[in-house]
Amino acid sequence: MRKGIEAVLGLALLSPRLGPLLAQVTAFTVAHTVTLGLAAVGFITPSAALVEPLIAFTIAFVAIENLVFREMSAWRPVVVFGFGLIHGLGFAGFFGELGLPPGQFWSALIGFNVGVEIGQLSVIAVAAVAGYAVRRALRDPAGMAGYRNWIVRPGSALIGLTGLYWGIARVSGLG
């Protein structure tokens, strides 16, 4: 589940304004809810050997995009939706390992998904407060120049390298 933190932070770094960030988080949430539900009921059966590296590479992609683009593109929520579909398959693998007693499937699925959302919103809230504090400290509260140089670039580089490492490790069988 640690990869979820990097994924959400990757989204938050390029979108310090609430509207664009909510568009991405909503797209991600809807997508991962769909695939989590489909996999949890057995309609699709994702292969962890395929899903795990894909998740890592989606994290790297978002981070690299943060380095290349100064602002969120209009198509980013669509890309994030696609990535959310992949992440939902990863959540499904974790959910399936819980070994739930009979009769608790739907309540457990809903509770699991709500827990994921609370975790994501918590990370976003902490990132938003920290980002605002950094922009104030840099005397850049409304702008992005200092924030981009001191937070977005190094944070995205670290997240991107981590995602690439995880992806390569999963593909090569080392991780």
Side-chain angles (χ1 to χ4, degrees):
M1 298 306 275
R2 182 170 172 254
K3 284 179 261 183
I5 294 171
E6 282 82 0
V8 173
L9 282 177
L11 297 177
L13 282 174
L14 192 62
S15 304
R17 290 183 300 278
L18 190 58
L21 181 58
L22 287 178
Q24 293 178 89
V25 171
T26 300
F28 187 79
T29 298
V30 168
H32 81 67
T33 300
V34 167
T35 51
L36 170 60
L38 290 173
V41 297
F43 189 74
I44 55 176
T45 52
S47 163
L50 179 62
V51 171
E52 286 294 316
L54 284 175
I55 289 171
F57 290 132
T58 65
I59 292 168
F61 181 91
V62 167
I64 292 166
E65 189 179 39
N66 289 352
L67 294 168
V68 173
F69 295 104
R70 294 186 68 76
E71 293 185 14
M72 187 180 99
S73 63
W75 50 271
R76 187 162 181 175
V78 175
V79 171
V80 170
F81 181 86
F83 291 171
L85 293 172
I86 295 167
H87 285 247
L89 296 174
F91 293 147
F94 182 78
F95 182 74
E97 294 172 5
L98 294 177
L100 302 171
Q104 295 183 353
F105 176 80
W106 290 108
S107 61
L109 180 62
I110 291 167
F112 180 83
N113 206 35
V114 167
V116 168
E117 296 316 309
I118 289 170
Q120 289 177 348
L121 292 174
S122 298
V123 169
I124 289 169
V126 169
V129 169
Y132 180 74
V134 168
R135 286 193 306 275
R136 276 192 64 138
L138 294 171
R139 298 188 192 323
D140 194 22
M144 289 289 292
Y147 176 75
R148 180 161 177 76
N149 289 332
W150 291 97
I151 301 298
V152 174
R153 286 184 177 145
S156 294
L158 181 61
I159 291 169
L161 289 171
T162 302
L164 287 174
Y165 171 78
W166 283 334
I168 292 167
R170 299 302 188 283
V171 168
S172 67
L174 299 174

